[in-house]
Amino acid sequence: MLLVLAACSVPVAGGLDEGQANRVVVALDRAGLGAAKESDPASEGRFRVMVEQGEAPHAIAALREEDLPATNTPGLLESMGKGSLVPSQLAEHAQFVTGLSGELERTFSAIDGVYAARVHLSLPETDALREGPRPKATASVLLKHRGSTPPIDVHEVKRLVAGAAPGLAPEDVAVVMIPRPVTASADRTLSRLGPITATRSSVALLRLVTAGIVVVALALLLVVLVLWTRLRRLRAAALEEGPDLQQARRI
């Protein structure tokens, strides 16, 4: 039975670190889908998330709505020092901007209620030889959150981004927030199996258990029929041998 259950599970996400795998499991649980985290045999030190085979389409759709698994945005430590052995000033500045954007995206994604964050920074490079006014630094922030109420105020987002980026004023930060209505998952995830009502993630297991019980019951019935048939034959043979045995004793 365990082998059958294992064969009925399929991966919906793989090659994840533990934090990503945990977020995927939580998102699927929030959608009313059962999921399990296990080591990914294809990637050492990584994890994958398994669901029932019949629930795979629903799980993939739920993860797409949550923008999961999230891509690993490089931070400052991952961005700086990459490329050529002696990077140019322009390359170093581009790496700095990319890393700072990644750090800000990680910060916003860690806020409870935010399930996706994108930060775009436009920070002109400082050039002491450049004449005239320095180009204005600007930034754009896109936050996707659950529910109609944003988990963080727009002014706080602007202050956070402006405080992290040099030369950026809060009024030059554009913020767009996209709400995602919280829907009740319990009503749409219930299914019926005869007189029994269960979640969709449990119906497949319930069917396997029911099939196993039916198979065992049929096997027991077959054993009873075989024993009953043998018993009837033995009784018939005993009745046939009875008169012959009495006649032999008289002789």
Side-chain angles (χ1 to χ4, degrees):
M1 183 67 72
L2 292 177
L3 292 176
V4 174
L5 292 177
C8 291
S9 297
V10 295
V12 292
L16 311 174
D17 59 37
E18 190 168 10
Q20 289 176 319
N22 290 336
R23 284 191 288 272
V24 169
V25 171
V26 170
L28 293 177
D29 180 71
R30 189 184 295 112
L33 302 171
K37 178 186 70 175
E38 63 179 32
S39 298
D40 192 344
S43 302
E44 185 177 358
R46 294 283 176 166
F47 296 87
R48 66 180 183 180
V49 178
M50 309 289 292
V51 299
E52 297 286 345
Q53 186 172 8
E55 295 297 330
H58 303 289
I60 294 173
L63 293 180
R64 187 179 295 113
E65 291 181 1
E66 296 280 348
D67 285 350
L68 291 174
T71 56
N72 276 329
T73 305
L76 284 172
L77 293 178
E78 295 86 359
S79 298
M80 300 302 293
K82 289 187 176 181
S84 60
L85 295 177
V86 184
S88 63
Q89 184 177 355
L90 181 61
E92 287 185 342
H93 180 72
Q95 292 173 358
F96 170 75
V97 173
T98 301
L100 184 57
S101 299
E103 295 290 347
L104 289 170
E105 289 179 6
R106 292 179 182 179
T107 300
F108 289 126
S109 298
I111 299 175
D112 188 23
V114 175
Y115 67 90
R118 294 289 294 173
V119 177
H120 301 277
L121 296 176
S122 177
L123 305 178
E125 184 183 4
T126 303
D127 188 357
L129 301 179
R130 182 185 181 93
E131 297 181 357
R134 179 184 177 186
K136 182 187 295 186
T138 59
S140 301
V141 180
L142 173 65
L143 298 181
K144 297 181 180 180
H145 61 87
R146 302 180 188 90
S148 57
T149 304
I152 182 173
D153 187 70
V154 173
H155 298 290
E156 295 178 352
V157 174
K158 292 184 176 183
R159 288 175 55 193
L160 182 60
V161 176
L168 180 62
E171 58 269 17
D172 294 326
V173 179
V175 180
V176 176
M177 293 193 177
I178 301 178
R180 177 173 176 263
V182 178
T183 55
S185 60
D187 294 337
R188 70 171 185 265
T189 56
L190 291 179
S191 300
R192 292 185 63 85
L193 182 61
I196 302 175
T197 302
T199 59
R200 285 203 304 253
S201 58
S202 303
V203 168
L205 177 61
L206 187 59
R207 287 173 178 168
L208 288 175
V209 173
T210 304
I213 294 175
V214 171
V215 170
V216 172
L218 291 176
L220 292 176
L221 180 61
L222 180 61
V223 171
V224 171
L225 289 176
V226 171
L227 293 176
W228 180 69
T229 302
R230 293 187 62 184
L231 181 60
R232 287 192 60 185
R233 290 177 179 175
L234 291 175
R235 290 182 62 183
L239 292 176
E240 291 177 358
E241 292 178 357
D244 296 337
L245 183 59
Q246 292 179 1
Q247 185 177 1
R249 289 179 178 176
R250 291 175 182 176
I251 296 176

